[in-house]
Amino acid sequence: MMSVAGTREPRAQAGGQSIEFRVNGRAVSVSSSPLQRLSRVLREELGLTGTKVGCDAGDCGACTVLLDGDPVCACLVATGQVEGCEVTTVEGLADTNVGARLQQAFLTHGAAQCGACTPGMLIAATALLDRNSTPHENEVMDAIGGVLCRCTGYRKIIAAILDAAIKNAGVEDTASAAPTAISPAAGAAVGKRLVRLDGKQKVDGSEIFGADETPASALAVRAIRSPYHRARFHFGDLAAFVRDHPGIDAVFTAKDVPGKNCYGVISKFADQPVFAEGEARHRGEAIAAVVGETAAVEALETADFPVSWEELPPLGDIDAALATGARLIHENRSGNILVRGRVVRGDVDKALDAADAVVEAEYETGFIEHAYIEPEAGFAQRVGDQIEIQACTQSPYMDRSDIAAILGIAPERVRIIPTAVGGGFGSKLDLSVQPFLAVAAWHLGKPVRMVYSRTESIVSTTKRHPARMRLRGGCSKEGKLLALDFAADFNTGAYSSWGPTVSARVPVHASGPYYVPHYRALTRAVHTNLVPAGAFRGFGVPQAAIAQEQLYDELADRVGIDRLEFRILNALDEHTPTVTGQVLGEGVGIRACLEALGPKWKTARREAAEFNSNAAGALRRGVGVAGMWYGCGNTSLPNPSTVRIGLKRSGRIALHQGAVDIGQGSNTIVTQICADALGAPIERFDLLSGDTSITPDCGKTSASRQTLVTGKAAQMAGEKLRRAMLKLAGACDCATVLFNDGGVTVRDGDKSHVLALRDLPLDNYGYVITSEATFDPPTSPLDENGQGVPYAVFGFGAHMAEIEVDTELGTVRVLKVTAAHDVGRAINPTLIEGQIEGGVAQGLGMALMEEFFPGKGENLHDYLIPSAGDIPPVESILIEDPSPIGPFGAKGIGEQAVIPTAPAILNALHDAVGIRLRRIPATPDRVRAAILALQKGEAHG
Ligand code: FES
Ligand code: FES
C-alpha cells in the first residue's frame, strides 16, 4: 500500500484541558476533553493508529489496550480516567519480552490474517501472559473472548499464544524477537509455510487501514440516511442549513453528482444511486452528505438536518415482492425480479418418477452480516483534474470505473489506492465511502475523509442473500443419485449488487460435487425494500449446500446407505459430466476428500453412539458430513489478471500485482508463485500492490480467483522474465539464473555470464527488463439450458462436524470439525489452513447463530458472530490433486472453506436428536422447539 501525500500526523484537538499520562513508557500530555474516548485520543492526538476501532461500543475488542497492566476497551475509557496511568498499545509491545514473543508467534503461526483484530488480540494475550506464564487453552480462550476476529477462526491465535507462553516460560532465551526470516532456496518457495510478507506491519501496529491515514486538513463527510425501509423525502433550505451551522462547509445531494448518479458492480445491472432522489428504497440509503470540520460534523444532530420524511409501506419480504400486482421497486424489472438463473439437464420429472427413493424439502436462510472488524473508511483529494481515493476496497479497478462514471470523467483521471483491508468477505467489492468522498473532494477541492460507524456499516452495506429453497431429489435403491429438482428465490434487496451472480452461480453448484444425470435448478433474485444483498463468501452456494447436503443425507437414510458412503458413491470424477455438461478431466479431488474423512467418520460415529447410549442427562452427540465444490473465478465471463514484473539495476525485482490482499494472503502467495517461476529468492522481491496508477488490473479479490488467476499471471510473467534474462545472456533454456547482491549471473554449463545491469538502458517503466503477462481462465458461455463450461477450475472439499446438543436448552456445541480440501497444490499450507479455519468459523456462525434483521440489532452487541469460545479444534487435511491449469497445480480455497461447515453441522444435529430445521440458523429456541415438537410427534422447523 502506498500513500498519496498522506500523513499520520497527530491531529490537535482544540479547547480541552491538559491530561498527563504515560504511553508505552513515554510521558505524554494531551489537550482533549476528559470525556473524549481514549481510543480517539491515542489514534488522532498521539498518532498511535495501531489501536483499532471496530464498534466504539465495547463489543469487538479491537481497541483493547493495557491500562496499568489490565486490558480495557479504549473506546469505553474516558481520557480523564487515565491521568497519571500507564497505557500500553500495540506499538509498545515490541519493547517487552512477552509482547515481542507474541508478535513473533503470531507471525509464525499465521495468526494475523487481515490484521484488524491483531492489535487487540496481542494486547489481550499480553495481559494474560503477564499474570499467567503457562496458561491452559481454556484460559487463553477466556482471555481473548472479548476480542472478535472474523478471519482466522481463532485456532491459530490460540496456538500462537500457547506457543509464546511456552517460550516465555523460559524454554528459550529472551533474545531478539525479530520475525524469523524464512528464506527458502531460489525456486523452492512454493509449498513452504512462509511467514506472510505483509505480516510484520500487522503485528507491530504500523499497517495502514482505511481510517488510519488522512491529510491533516481533511474535512469530514457524513451521510444522511433514510431511517425508513421506504420513504418519500423533501429537502428544506439546505443553503440556510449550511449558513446557520458554523463549521459546516457544504451539503451534497443527487443534483451535485457531476456524472451519473448511478453505480453497480455489474454495469449491465447498475441501479444504485449515490444519493436517492425523491424516494429512499431501503433503510440506511443515503440521501445527502454533510461536509465540514470534524467537530462540527460529529456534533450535528440528524434531526436538525432539513429533510421531511413520508414513510411508505415497504415490500418487506420475498412474498410481498412477488405478490400479484405488487408495486415495482424498479420500473423496468417486471414482477420485482432482477434476474433468473437456469441449469437444466436430462428429464428430471421422469427420473424422479422412476427413482426408488424421493425426498422433498424446503429450507430458508436469513440475511447474514459480514461483520468484518474494520468498518469502511478512506479519504479523497482532488489533484488537478484527477481524483485520488485511498480507501479499503476489494476491487480497485472496478471502483475506478464507477467513480469515473459518477464524476463524468475518464477512468484514467481516477486513482484508487487500496489500503490494507480489515476483512471484506465480498462486501468491500461494492462501493461504500468512495462516491461520497469523490463528489465532495471534486467540488470542494479539499481533502475529505469518511469513516463509517459500525451501525452505518451494518445498515448500508451488502449482506448475504436470504434464500428460500425448495428441492426434490431421487436416487436408486443402490444409492445412485438420479435426479435433483431445485428452485430458489434470493432476496436481493433494493439494488442489484451481486444478485445476478448469485442467481447464475447457484444453479451451476446446487447439485454439489456429485454426478446428477437429471437436473433442474431455477433461481430468481427478487427485489425488496431491504438492504441490498451482495457477495458474501460463496455467492449463494453456502445457502444451496445447506439444502442439498441435508437432502442427500435424507436420501441416504431412506435407502439405508451410510451417509459418507452415499457421497463417495456419487462423487464426480474426471470422466463424469457436471450438471452443465462439463467433463472436468484431471484434478477432481472430491472423492479423495471424502475418503480422507473415512476412518475419522467411523471413529466419530462410534464414539457418539457410545456417548449417547451411556448418556443419562440432556446431552446428545451427533456426527455430520457434507461435501462441496466451487468454481474459481467468474461464471462464464472473462476475468483476466495482468501482472508486471521489472528487473531493477540493483538486481531486485519489482512485482506489480494488483490482487488486493484482504487477509487471505495473496501478497505472499502470488510472490511465492512468481519467485519460483523466475527462480529467484523470495527476498529479492519488492511488492507493489493495488494502486491503479502503478499496478495493472488483477481484477477483484473474490470468487476464489486470485491464487488461480493472478497466481497464473504471475507464474507466466516470472517465466517470461527468466527467458528474457537468458536471451540477454545468450544462454539456453536450461541455464541457471543466480541472483546475487547487486547483480544477476547466468550459468550455462561451464559458462558464466554476469548481466551488467547497471550498464543496461532502462525501459519506459524504469526497469532493465519488464515482463508482463495476462491470464484469463478458459471458460465458455452457457446456453439457454445452462450447458457449457462455466469455470476452468473447481476446488473440492468435505467437512465432518462432531457436535453435542443440550436437549433441554436447545444449545449446540461443536466439538470438532475435520476439513478435507483439494487445493491442487498447497502454495502456502499455513495460509490455506488459515482460510479453512476461518471458513469453518463463518460456517458455524451461519449454522447456529447469525441472522440479521434490517432495522433491528444493528451493532455487534446484538448481531452475534462466533467468539473464541465457540470455535472447536479444526483438523485440516490438504489434498493435492493438481489442476492442469492452475499455477503449479493450485486451486482456490477462500470460499470453498465456508461451504460445507453449516450443512455438516446441521446434518450432525439431525444425527444427534433427529430434527431438521427448515429455517436456519439453528438457534437454541428453534432447536428446543423442534425437539419438543418431535417428542410430541408434531411437524417442526
Ligand atoms: S472499538 Fe472498542 S470494543 Fe469495539
Ligand atoms: S485477522 Fe482477525 S479480524 Fe481479520
Side-chain angles (χ1 to χ4, degrees):
M1 196 279 307
M2 265 185 70
S3 67
V4 189
T7 69
R8 302 186 74 194
E9 293 167 20
R11 301 207 296 169
Q13 300 264 335
Q17 65 191 63
S18 176
I19 301 167
E20 296 180 356
F21 53 105
R22 294 176 68 78
V23 178
N24 300 330
R26 182 171 63 93
V28 297
S29 176
V30 298
S31 57
S32 70
S33 157
L35 297 178
Q36 184 56 275
R37 297 173 195 271
L38 176 61
S39 52
R40 178 86 175 254
V41 168
L42 290 171
R43 290 176 55 81
E44 303 208 351
E45 278 209 60
L46 300 175
L48 296 169
T49 55
T51 299
K52 303 303 174 197
V53 173
C55 69
D56 258 346
D59 296 323
C60 74
C63 63
T64 304
V65 299
L66 295 182
L67 184 57
D68 286 340
D70 291 327
V72 296
C73 288
C75 71
L76 297 184
V77 174
T79 306
Q81 290 177 279
V82 305
E83 174 90 46
C85 297
E86 175 76 40
V87 174
T88 305
T89 70
V90 68
E91 289 91 345
L93 289 186
D95 298 332
T96 68
N97 282 334
V98 168
R101 287 284 179 215
L102 281 163
Q103 288 173 321
Q104 175 60 41
F106 269 52
L107 287 172
T108 52
H109 283 268
Q113 289 189 20
C114 81
C117 72
T118 306
M121 286 290 181
L122 285 165
I123 292 284
T126 301
L128 170 68
L129 298 194
D130 277 346
R131 62 175 187 272
N132 178 358
S133 60
T134 54
H136 185 268
E137 181 174 312
N138 287 340
E139 293 170 307
V140 172
M141 286 157 83
D142 280 350
I144 62 170
V147 187
L148 296 175
C149 175
R150 193 54 154 167
C151 303
T152 64
Y154 302 100
R155 299 309 303 184
K156 292 199 181 300
I157 293 172
I158 294 166
I161 295 170
L162 289 170
D163 188 24
I166 290 169
K167 288 172 179 158
N168 196 52
V171 177
E172 287 192 3
D173 67 23
T174 54
S176 166
T180 307
I182 300 174
S183 301
V190 166
K192 296 290 189 304
R193 291 181 179 272
L194 236 64
V195 168
R196 56 184 310 141
L197 301 178
D198 53 5
K200 184 174 180 302
Q201 56 266 40
K202 294 181 190 294
V203 300
D204 69 13
S206 62
E207 184 73 286
I208 303 294
F209 292 89
D212 291 343
E213 187 172 71
T214 191
S217 60
L219 298 173
V221 181
R222 180 168 161 192
I224 304 295
R225 299 181 180 278
S226 170
Y228 303 109
H229 295 302
R230 180 177 165 235
R232 211 168 283 134
F233 61 90
H234 302 279
F235 292 119
D237 190 342
L238 297 177
F241 169 80
V242 173
R243 200 174 52 239
D244 296 345
H245 285 77
I248 299 297
D249 285 42
V251 170
F252 297 108
T253 65
K255 67 179 174 39
D256 301 304
V257 175
K260 279 167 47 182
N261 184 30
C262 180
Y263 64 89
V265 286
I266 304 173
S267 53
K268 183 176 157 195
F269 296 96
D271 57 5
Q272 191 158 2
V274 179
F275 301 109
E277 298 183 53
E279 181 178 317
R281 292 185 172 99
H282 72 90
R283 176 179 160 80
E285 180 164 17
I287 60 159
V290 179
V291 185
E293 298 294 333
T294 301
V297 169
E298 288 180 350
L300 197 65
E301 294 288 340
T302 44
D304 288 348
F305 188 79
V307 61
S308 58
W309 296 98
E310 180 191 349
E311 188 177 3
L312 299 169
L315 296 176
D317 57 32
I318 289 174
D319 285 335
L322 292 177
T324 307
R327 174 186 48 81
L328 295 183
I329 292 176
H330 297 274
E331 284 304 318
N332 59 342
R333 289 178 184 152
S334 163
N336 287 313
I337 295 170
L338 164 66
V339 69
R340 296 169 195 265
R342 171 187 170 88
V343 171
V344 176
R345 186 170 180 80
D347 189 335
V348 172
D349 299 318
K350 199 167 151 195
L352 283 173
D353 284 346
D356 295 313
V358 174
V359 172
E360 273 187 70
E362 184 165 333
Y363 289 95
E364 199 164 350
T365 66
F367 281 111
I368 298 183
E369 158 63 21
H370 295 72
Y372 27 71
I373 300 306
E374 180 209 26
E376 295 75 1
F379 74 87
Q381 56 191 349
R382 184 171 179 168
V383 180
D385 67 349
Q386 296 195 18
I387 192 85
E388 296 182 344
I389 302 176
Q390 177 170 312
C392 52
T393 178
Q394 294 180 235
S395 45
Y397 272 86
M398 284 166 52
D399 293 0
R400 189 177 83 145
S401 300
D402 266 339
I403 294 299
I406 287 166
L407 294 184
I409 61 177
E412 294 71 29
R413 288 167 60 194
V414 179
R415 180 182 183 188
I416 302 292
I417 305 152
T419 61
V421 180
F425 316 116
S427 190
K428 288 176 183 169
L429 293 164
D430 295 63
L431 293 176
S432 58
V433 296
Q434 297 91 337
F436 309 119
L437 290 170
V439 170
W442 192 254
H443 283 294
L444 295 174
K446 296 178 183 172
V448 294
R449 177 192 200 215
M450 190 171 198
V451 180
Y452 276 6
S453 69
R454 174 56 61 182
T455 295
E456 188 171 27
S457 174
I458 290 180
V459 300
S460 66
T461 63
T462 60
K463 306 284 170 275
R464 184 182 292 286
H465 281 74
R468 194 166 61 194
M469 300 165 283
R470 295 167 297 281
L471 64 172
R472 208 157 55 105
C475 68
S476 69
K477 60 181 184 304
E478 294 81 23
K480 289 293 274 184
L481 277 168
L482 297 175
L484 180 66
D485 193 5
F486 176 95
D489 289 327
F490 291 92
N491 182 343
T492 206
Y495 296 107
S496 63
S497 183
W498 294 96
T501 305
V502 167
S503 291
R505 188 175 272 269
V506 167
V508 173
H509 287 84
S511 62
Y514 313 104
Y515 175 54
V516 183
H518 302 277
Y519 181 77
R520 178 168 58 214
L522 307 175
T523 55
R524 298 184 291 190
V526 181
H527 281 301
T528 59
N529 285 115
L530 297 173
V531 64
F536 190 167
R537 212 169 182 176
F539 287 106
V541 178
Q543 295 95 305
I546 281 175
Q548 146 257 314
E549 285 292 328
Q550 290 195 82
L551 186 95
Y552 291 168
D553 253 25
E554 292 193 65
L555 278 174
D557 289 354
R558 196 67 73 84
V559 294
I561 292 180
D562 175 87
R563 298 160 195 158
L564 179 63
E565 283 304 320
F566 182 89
R567 289 171 169 82
I568 292 172
L569 182 66
N570 289 290
L572 284 169
D573 63 28
E574 63 266 47
H575 306 299
T576 44
T578 69
V579 291
T580 71
Q582 181 178 1
V583 175
L584 298 174
E586 292 173 52
V588 184
I590 181 58
R591 188 184 179 99
C593 291
L594 292 164
E595 288 179 342
L597 295 180
K600 295 166 191 298
W601 169 254
K602 287 198 179 88
T603 304
R605 297 265 292 156
R606 189 185 65 244
E607 288 175 354
E610 284 170 9
F611 179 91
N612 291 341
S613 65
N614 296 327
L619 301 181
R620 293 291 180 278
R621 289 191 175 172
V623 187
V625 67
M628 173 284 301
W629 69 326
Y630 192 78
C632 305
N634 290 354
T635 310
S636 286
L637 289 171
N639 60 143
S641 282
T642 300
V643 168
R644 181 188 307 141
I645 55 178
L647 179 63
K648 300 181 184 179
R649 278 183 168 156
S650 64
R652 296 191 63 77
I653 300 137
L655 171 55
H656 298 251
Q657 76 85 16
V660 176
D661 194 326
I662 60 174
Q664 85 283 24
S666 55
N667 282 338
T668 308
I669 297 271
V670 172
T671 310
Q672 285 179 262
I673 291 168
C674 190
D676 278 15
L678 177 58
I682 206 99
E683 62 269 18
R684 281 268 142 186
F685 282 80
D686 297 322
L687 191 57
L688 298 135
S689 306
D691 182 335
T692 56
S693 71
I694 58 173
T695 305
D697 188 0
C698 280
K700 59 198 165 61
T701 293
S702 79
S704 301
R705 59 177 294 284
Q706 293 296 18
T707 296
L708 169 68
V709 186
T710 301
K712 183 75 173 187
Q715 182 183 28
M716 292 160 62
E719 290 167 350
K720 200 167 157 189
L721 180 56
R722 180 182 141 79
R723 286 196 297 274
M725 287 190 290
L726 295 179
K727 187 174 172 197
L728 198 61
C732 73
D733 277 356
C734 59
T736 307
V737 179
L738 300 171
F739 291 81
N740 314 308
D741 280 343
V744 172
T745 304
V746 177
R747 275 218 194 109
D748 187 359
D750 297 341
K751 292 188 210 132
S752 195
H753 185 103
V754 176
L755 296 181
L757 302 179
R758 294 192 185 282
D759 301 333
L760 293 171
L762 299 180
D763 64 17
N764 289 341
Y765 292 111
Y767 299 125
V768 177
I769 307 173
T770 297
S771 161
E772 193 169 287
T774 298
F775 177 69
D776 191 7
T779 62
S780 75
L782 301 182
D783 68 16
E784 69 279 7
N785 285 320
Q787 300 298 295
V789 179
Y791 311 102
V793 175
F794 285 82
F796 300 90
H799 287 190
M800 180 181 82
E802 298 167 61
I803 71 162
E804 186 172 277
V805 184
D806 186 318
T807 55
E808 287 177 358
L809 298 177
T811 51
V812 176
R813 188 161 70 96
V814 182
L815 304 173
K816 184 180 179 188
V817 172
T818 307
H821 281 274
D822 170 22
V823 296
R825 178 77 191 274
I827 303 292
N828 186 323
T830 300
L831 296 178
I832 289 173
E833 288 164 5
Q835 287 301 292
I836 293 172
E837 291 167 18
V840 165
Q842 290 187 359
L844 184 151
M846 189 176 178
L848 300 179
M849 63 179 75
E850 294 189 45
E851 184 165 11
F852 173 67
F853 299 95
K856 295 181 193 156
E858 293 156 337
N859 55 65
L860 291 179
H861 187 74
D862 297 304
Y863 185 85
L864 296 181
I865 64 171
S867 62
D870 296 308
I871 303 301
V874 177
E875 181 181 347
S876 296
I877 301 171
L878 303 188
I879 307 289
E880 294 184 306
D881 191 345
S883 157
I885 294 170
F888 296 99
K891 306 166 182 173
I893 182 62
E895 285 151 299
Q896 286 80 351
V898 78
I899 295 167
T901 308
I905 290 171
L906 296 166
N907 279 336
L909 180 59
H910 181 267
D911 186 52
V913 293
I915 60 169
R916 288 220 181 265
L917 295 183
R918 300 304 173 185
R919 180 156 183 107
I920 314 302
T923 48
D925 55 323
R926 289 176 179 158
V927 171
R928 176 72 180 142
I931 290 172
L932 287 176
L934 185 69
Q935 287 167 354
K936 290 181 194 161
E938 298 169 355
H940 62 271

